Amino acid sequence: MEIESHYEIATTADFIYSRKFTRVALQFPDNLLKDATRVVRALKAKLLSLRDSGEEHNGDNNDVGLYVMADTTYGSCCVDEVGASHINADCVIHYGHTCLSPTSTLPAFFVFGKIPINVPNCVENLSKNALANEKPILILYGLEYAHAIPHIREALKEALSSDVSGPKLEINYANVMCTVINPSENHKSINEPASGSPADDISGAVTGTRYAIGGLTWNIPEGHKMEDYLLFWIGSDNSAFANVVLTFNSSEIVRYDAAEERLVTDVSHRLRILKRRYYLVEKAKDANIIGILVGTLGVAGYLDMIHQMKELITKAGKKTYTFAMGRPNPAKLANFPECDVFITVSCAQTALLDSKEFFAPVITPFEAMLAFGRGRQWTGAYVMEFRDLISSSPVEVRNQAEEARFSFIRGRYVEDTDQQETFNDEQGEEGALALVTAAEKALQLRDGNVNHLVKGTAKSGAEFFLGRSYHGLEIHGDGSSPEPYIVGRSGKASGYEDEKSKQES
């Protein structure tokens, strides 16, 4: 593999040198750490040559410090601003797969990499599928294959032009959103576009609906819908592809597996995830204590989303706690069994956690809005980016006169505890974080059958701890003196010192 070309050494060095950065964090995912040493060596050599050449980019002669970051705080697809802040970095160079989520404080330059692909085989599969389908085609791809899109477009154009008798096909390509992200107060602003972008918007449309997913962006002309297009994905079956399937679940989707060089037309295993997500939404409706997982500290707008989730949960008459623990796993979340459900606020490509091994389900902010927004129904549309949800739907106050709702999980009617009875108005904005005691609410039983109507009791974390069988060490206040300390055994488990002395004797 050619390091200079694969990791875009010249372009990266020019970005660092032209912006006068002196402390640069290089973020590598685990699978690319093996190349970190060679990348640093090549970058240093290129930066040194730029400085010695006397180009009018940088006025000083300060050496540039390059710091390799591994074991990211959260997902490796996001810019690790937390890790970069430990070295007071001026910017982050992100390598490998990325979600291109906007940053909060630091500028970032993205190097997607160039995974090899068999262009003739890809074009052959694409042309066969295009000729057998009457819909216009939208080509989406993993960012690691963006380098091959110009070659695929030219080869496909030549292959289809040779078939004069066939129908005229409309084939469109998505754009790479950008290669440089600058922090901005406007979380939805478009940053610097990718230089030499290999694609163009659908039909050159200026007006219409704009879509952005997985680091790609495109426009749909007015009067058209995504269901009108056949989506052709080039890449592996990863989180980016899962986002495409869930977001455009009503569209026809095929995938070209570049590693195995074959076309995959059955994506039903991905569509089955929607059934699982709907089940989690119904289960979250019965939750009383909700934990909010901070899944990122760098994606712009994450604090706004957390505050919106707190407001939504509080007005739904439930309690919420916020946790910042890095990457969530079953062992970490098992320390908080009082939480009935968790909401993870993270980028779109790390939001879908397979929570089958977790003690409590983990849902996304979109699913939380469906679960806790009383009266809302799922139409089948799915939103992955939490930035698209910020202030998109106003939080409605629950009507105290609402009747009990039917729980599909319990199979009976449930009446939630009223929020006004649960929280003290004097607690103010942070009342949802306090460990308070929930008030009991008497409910009317219908038809004399206790299974028809049950009580929704919202207990706090403190009440849950009191109900545990293990409470930790007990401290007696009778004034008795403590027992004397006993010196334990010393040495290694394979042979303690007292055992060795016995053997010698």
Side-chain angles (χ1 to χ4, degrees):
M1 179 180 63
E2 180 63 33
I3 292 293
E4 294 281 343
S5 172
H6 185 82
Y7 288 101
E8 302 179 18
I9 299 299
T11 309
T12 305
D14 185 70
F15 169 79
I16 298 171
Y17 191 75
S18 62
R19 300 202 179 197
K20 302 181 181 180
F21 293 136
T22 57
R23 300 178 68 85
V24 180
L26 308 179
Q27 180 180 338
F28 289 87
D30 293 342
N31 62 312
L32 296 181
L33 272 178
K34 61 183 183 300
D35 298 329
T37 303
R38 291 186 292 171
V39 171
V40 170
R41 189 182 300 115
L43 269 180
K44 283 185 175 180
K46 187 61 179 178
L47 288 169
L48 184 61
S49 65
L50 287 176
R51 187 184 65 176
D52 294 340
S53 65
E55 294 185 12
E56 298 298 330
H57 287 304
N58 200 346
D60 52 39
N61 293 324
N62 294 333
D63 291 333
V64 178
L66 303 177
Y67 303 85
V68 176
M69 292 195 306
D71 191 19
T72 54
T73 309
Y74 296 99
S76 59
C77 63
C78 300
V79 176
D80 190 4
E81 295 186 80
V82 177
S85 64
H86 293 165
I87 59 167
N88 296 322
D90 301 321
C91 73
V92 176
I93 309 298
H94 185 284
Y95 293 94
H97 177 69
T98 178
C99 56
L100 283 181
S101 297
T103 57
S104 299
T105 58
L106 293 177
F109 182 85
F110 294 89
V111 180
F112 308 132
K114 300 177 180 179
I115 296 182
I117 181 174
N118 188 338
V119 174
N121 183 268
C122 177
V123 170
E124 180 183 358
N125 283 275
L126 178 55
S127 59
K128 288 181 180 179
N129 192 271
L131 293 173
N133 197 295
E134 298 180 354
K135 292 183 177 180
I137 297 176
L138 172 61
I139 296 182
L140 307 174
Y141 45 89
L143 296 178
E144 58 274 14
Y145 297 100
H147 67 97
I149 297 302
H151 306 289
I152 293 175
R153 182 167 58 175
E154 291 299 324
L156 184 60
K157 182 179 180 181
E158 182 180 350
L160 295 179
S161 61
S162 60
D163 189 3
V164 183
S165 60
K168 185 178 180 180
L169 299 175
E170 179 186 346
I171 300 181
N172 311 278
Y173 300 81
N175 282 315
V176 177
M177 187 181 299
C178 60
T179 56
V180 177
I181 285 183
N182 297 305
S184 173
E185 294 182 0
N186 183 4
H187 303 152
K188 295 184 180 181
S189 63
I190 301 298
N191 287 269
E192 298 182 19
S195 58
S197 181
D200 48 10
D201 284 344
I202 292 180
S203 302
V206 178
T207 60
T209 306
R210 186 176 184 85
Y211 292 90
I213 188 172
L216 302 176
T217 181
W218 64 93
N219 283 354
I220 293 294
E222 293 183 1
H224 291 252
K225 300 181 296 182
M226 284 300 299
E227 292 81 359
D228 301 332
Y229 292 86
L230 168 67
L231 306 186
F232 190 92
W233 174 266
I234 300 176
S236 57
D237 187 2
N238 53 15
S239 57
F241 177 65
N243 291 349
V244 171
V245 175
L246 290 180
T247 304
F248 307 113
N249 54 76
S250 57
S251 300
E252 184 180 355
I253 304 174
V254 296
R255 180 176 68 90
Y256 176 74
D257 193 325
E260 299 184 4
E261 299 183 359
R262 65 185 183 92
L263 195 67
V264 180
T265 58
D266 183 13
V267 294
S268 58
H269 68 290
R270 283 296 183 186
L271 291 174
R272 283 196 294 268
I273 297 178
L274 281 174
K275 298 180 181 179
R276 168 70 178 173
R277 307 313 299 185
Y278 182 77
Y279 166 77
L280 295 181
V281 170
E282 291 297 325
K283 196 170 183 180
K285 291 180 180 179
D286 294 338
N288 294 314
I289 300 179
I290 293 91
I292 299 178
L293 302 178
V294 182
T296 177
L297 292 177
V299 177
Y302 79 95
L303 276 179
D304 297 331
M305 190 73 258
I306 291 176
H307 292 322
Q308 188 170 338
M309 286 292 100
K310 287 181 180 179
E311 183 182 4
L312 175 70
I313 295 169
T314 300
K315 291 188 176 182
K318 304 174 186 297
K319 293 182 175 63
T320 173
Y321 301 95
T322 306
F323 304 99
M325 60 179 67
R327 299 181 186 180
N329 57 46
K332 289 181 180 179
L333 298 189
N335 292 314
F336 309 100
E338 62 273 14
C339 294
D340 301 316
V341 68
F342 293 93
I343 304 172
T344 175
V345 178
S346 63
C347 76
Q349 298 191 20
T350 57
L352 288 179
L353 288 177
D354 187 4
S355 56
K356 293 181 179 179
E357 298 181 358
F358 291 74
F359 288 98
V362 182
I363 62 176
T364 65
F366 171 73
E367 293 165 351
M369 288 185 172
L370 292 176
F372 306 130
R374 196 67 180 268
R376 297 190 61 173
Q377 295 182 349
W378 194 355
T379 61
Y382 201 92
V383 180
M384 296 296 303
E385 292 284 353
F386 70 79
R387 296 187 305 277
D388 297 334
L389 300 173
I390 295 178
S391 302
S392 60
S393 301
V395 180
E396 298 180 357
V397 180
R398 291 176 59 244
N399 185 2
Q400 298 183 11
E402 282 182 317
E403 296 183 357
R405 62 177 177 82
F406 185 82
S407 171
F408 290 96
I409 302 299
R410 301 183 184 182
R412 52 184 180 265
Y413 284 96
V414 176
E415 184 170 327
D416 298 322
T417 302
D418 191 0
Q419 181 262 340
Q420 298 298 331
E421 294 185 4
T422 305
F423 299 104
N424 189 345
D425 293 336
E426 298 178 357
Q427 291 174 335
E429 191 175 11
E430 295 299 323
L433 299 179
L435 295 177
V436 297
T437 304
E440 294 289 338
K441 182 177 181 180
L443 301 179
Q444 181 181 2
L445 300 180
R446 299 179 181 178
D447 299 334
N449 190 338
V450 295
N451 291 326
H452 286 175
L453 193 64
V454 298
K455 188 189 307 180
T457 304
K459 293 186 177 181
S460 66
E463 291 176 333
F464 190 93
F465 281 119
L466 291 175
R468 288 182 177 176
S469 59
Y470 174 74
H471 304 292
L473 298 177
E474 296 184 0
I475 301 178
H476 300 283
D478 54 0
S480 58
S481 58
E483 294 292 333
Y485 289 104
I486 300 176
V487 179
R489 307 170 77 178
S490 60
K492 297 181 179 179
S494 58
Y496 292 102
E497 292 183 357
D498 58 340
E499 294 177 345
K500 292 180 179 180
S501 60
K502 291 180 181 178
Q503 294 175 358
E504 292 176 357
S505 61

